[in-house]
Amino acid sequence: MTEEVVETVERVTGTGIPVRGNDIDTDQVIPARFMKVITFDGLGEFAFFDQRFDDEDNEKDHPMNEERFRDASVMVVNANFGCGSSREHAPQALMRWGIDALIGESFAEIFAGNCLALGIPTVTADHETVSEIQAWTEANPDSDIEIDVADETVRYGDHEATVTVDEAQRRALVDGVWDTTALMRSNSGSVAETAAALPYLDD
């Protein structure tokens, strides 16, 4: 059996998309009626669905409907993003839409934990810094933002900002221990040896 390599997440680079507003909860990120799927596949198309479309499926004014942000992978948000229900479908939907990292003023703790389980950094900065990055992404939709998880910095254009990464999250991402399933697979030999040595386990 080939042992799996555990992926580290030291930095994330991609174009940005600003999603403004405080207290954006997980029901806005992925409405409950789209959570009846057996797997998470296909959830991306329903991310922010009720903010993006009206009752007749006509597009509303939302950055995720704008062509210039279609390939964005870094979402820049405001305070208390991901609050409300602890549904893991929310970061799953964002990941499947194409989001690899989030920059915000603050994140709900469970939402940030669910992001970490997917290898998605949730880095924080003060209101002024976040507002500046949001404005910059609107003016430069085709330019990359680089998040350095290890050094806790964000670079965009000629600017560099200091951000905060929760220490436990930073260690998990940089050391490659965020994916517990992959971690177990990568140590399958040691797991098998330990299991074989346990007297209460039969072959």
Side-chain angles (χ1 to χ4, degrees):
M1 180 179 178
T2 303
E3 292 192 345
E4 188 168 333
V5 177
V6 180
E7 180 184 357
T8 62
V9 182
E10 297 183 41
R11 56 183 55 82
V12 177
T13 302
T15 57
I17 176 171
V19 176
R20 290 183 171 84
N22 296 328
D23 306 314
I24 293 177
D25 61 31
T26 52
D27 190 56
Q28 294 179 61
V29 177
I30 181 70
R33 66 185 180 280
F34 298 120
M35 294 169 52
K36 299 175 183 178
V37 293
I38 297 174
T39 69
F40 295 119
D41 296 337
L43 278 183
E45 65 180 295
F46 303 120
F48 281 96
F49 193 87
D50 291 342
Q51 278 64 50
R52 295 167 56 204
F53 301 98
D54 63 20
D55 292 340
E56 298 177 348
D57 289 340
N58 298 309
E59 286 191 354
K60 296 181 183 179
D61 182 17
H62 192 278
M64 291 177 73
N65 288 334
E66 296 184 38
E67 186 63 35
R68 59 182 177 154
F69 297 128
R70 292 286 184 191
D71 297 321
S73 59
V74 177
M75 185 170 282
V76 191
V77 300
N78 294 110
N80 199 30
F81 187 87
C83 58
S85 169
S86 60
R87 63 187 65 166
E88 60 182 318
H89 296 69
Q92 288 279 359
L94 293 179
M95 181 180 72
R96 281 163 170 73
W97 190 82
I99 298 302
D100 296 326
L102 293 104
I103 303 169
E105 295 175 49
S106 61
F107 296 92
E109 184 176 356
I110 295 177
F111 174 82
N114 287 335
C115 284
L116 176 60
L118 299 174
I120 299 174
T122 50
V123 309
T124 59
D126 59 44
H127 175 74
E128 182 179 355
T129 299
V130 168
S131 296
E132 288 176 359
I133 298 174
Q134 287 176 327
W136 184 88
T137 59
E138 284 195 329
N140 302 274
D142 297 321
S143 298
D144 283 345
I145 299 172
E146 180 184 316
I147 301 173
D148 192 317
V149 177
D151 289 344
E152 297 183 282
T153 58
V154 169
R155 298 180 184 88
Y156 55 103
D158 298 327
H159 309 281
E160 179 174 303
T162 298
V163 295
T164 300
V165 185
D166 175 80
E167 182 58 21
Q169 181 187 114
R170 191 182 71 83
R171 287 200 312 268
L173 292 169
V174 173
D175 295 342
V177 296
W178 58 271
D179 189 339
T180 53
T181 302
L183 189 63
M184 289 182 65
R185 288 174 179 163
S186 71
N187 291 280
S188 57
S190 299
V191 172
E193 287 178 12
T194 301
L198 296 175
Y200 50 82
L201 287 182
D202 296 327
D203 293 336

